Amino acid sequence: MLELLDPKSLDPIAYDGGLLARMQEFSLLEGKRIGWHYVMDYTWLATRFAAVYRPGMRVIDIGCGPGAVHGFLEAEFDVDILGIDMERWEKDYVDLKGNFTDPAFRAANDLCDESIDIILSGSAFEHNPPEDHRALIQVCMDTLRPGGVLLTTFAAASKETHFFKPTHQWNLTQADIESLYGDRFDQYDYDGVWNRWREHREMAEGCRKRFKRFEANDPPYISVAAEKRKAA
């Protein structure tokens, strides 16, 4: 499953349903803040996790950092999620620092093939060039048990795949996303979703804090989500 993260469907859950306020309590950032577009990323991840998680499943979070969704899911579902990242923060949810695609790293940390039930990743895979992103997906699918699920969010581009220097990430076109994940969008209304992002209640302030601007072409990208299940 591939979908653009649309405020039209996610905001009622985040705001009216109170999910955002509950998640913010688990942010390890100053002032319990949540990143400029993570309202939608985190709401999607939490919603899909609730749909697929069952007690006793083994779960990892790649690129977890200090992200609020990690702590929220651990508390909400009474699950110990193994946090993996290539960086550390003053406060974070990182249990293991290292490169998940490195076979030696996985072997040293009991992350062998078919050993994990759910892999989460919020806005982390996008920091890899497309072919490295593809390799990361493959490693995840190898690591998942039959029937296991990968839940990930990353950045979508409007016209062409490109490296976006301010956030050190790759923004991907529809064609490249579908190629990487071996799936197709049911619908792909980039312009419509982008307009709703631009009007989102957090967007103007978030862009100004992150990029020191909110101009006619902002936001510079939007988020897309992928749910990929390994064959049972």
Side-chain angles (χ1 to χ4, degrees):
M1 177 178 72
L2 297 171
E3 64 177 291
L4 294 174
L5 298 188
D6 193 338
K8 184 178 180 179
S9 58
L10 294 172
D11 276 6
I13 301 169
Y15 295 97
D16 301 339
L19 181 60
L20 176 61
R22 291 160 59 204
M23 283 196 290
Q24 279 184 305
E25 291 303 310
F26 295 91
S27 173
L28 300 180
L29 297 173
E30 184 179 356
K32 295 189 178 297
R33 65 181 177 86
I34 285 182
W36 71 287
H37 62 76
Y38 283 9
V39 173
M40 284 158 291
D41 292 67
Y42 286 177
T43 299
W44 185 87
L45 286 167
T47 302
R48 293 312 304 155
F49 186 86
V52 300
Y53 176 73
R54 300 293 180 271
M57 284 184 168
R58 191 179 182 200
V59 183
I60 63 175
D61 183 355
I62 299 175
C64 60
V69 70
H70 184 107
F72 169 77
L73 292 176
E74 286 192 317
E76 185 80 358
F77 294 93
D78 191 25
V79 55
D80 184 13
I81 300 175
L82 183 69
I84 300 171
D85 210 309
M86 295 180 69
E87 299 181 42
R88 295 301 306 263
W89 285 255
E90 183 178 350
K91 295 179 181 179
D92 59 37
Y93 288 108
V94 179
D95 299 300
L96 299 174
K97 181 181 176 181
N99 185 350
F100 183 70
T101 60
D102 180 0
F105 172 81
R106 297 197 307 279
N109 292 288
D110 191 27
L111 299 169
C112 56
D113 286 358
E114 300 192 350
S115 65
I116 303 297
D117 297 290
I118 299 175
I119 298 176
L120 301 169
S121 185
S123 291
F125 285 23
E126 63 200 29
H127 298 300
N128 296 274
E131 287 310 306
D132 291 346
H133 191 148
R134 187 187 302 276
L136 182 51
I137 295 167
Q138 186 57 58
V139 170
C140 288
M141 300 314 292
D142 291 342
T143 308
L144 287 170
R145 293 182 175 126
V149 179
L150 169 65
L151 301 173
T152 181
T153 68
F154 47 96
S158 58
K159 293 183 174 63
E160 62 180 1
T161 291
H162 62 280
F163 180 69
F164 186 64
K165 190 174 181 179
T167 49
H168 303 283
Q169 70 188 41
W170 286 84
N171 301 336
L172 306 175
T173 61
Q174 176 184 359
D176 281 339
I177 293 166
E178 291 179 340
S179 173
L180 288 175
Y181 283 85
D183 199 356
R184 292 190 177 276
F185 289 88
D186 289 336
Q187 57 182 359
Y188 192 87
D189 178 19
Y190 186 99
D191 290 341
V193 174
W194 182 88
N195 282 322
R196 288 189 283 278
W197 269 58
R198 181 167 175 80
E199 296 169 358
H200 188 271
R201 67 188 78 183
E202 309 282 352
M203 198 56 57
E205 182 181 1
C207 279
R208 290 188 183 105
K209 286 182 177 178
R210 185 67 178 87
F211 305 119
K212 312 304 180 188
R213 69 171 201 239
F214 187 63
E215 300 172 351
N217 292 324
D218 288 321
Y221 57 87
I222 63 177
S223 287
V224 61
E227 179 175 332
K228 190 172 177 67
R229 184 178 292 272
K230 186 170 183 174

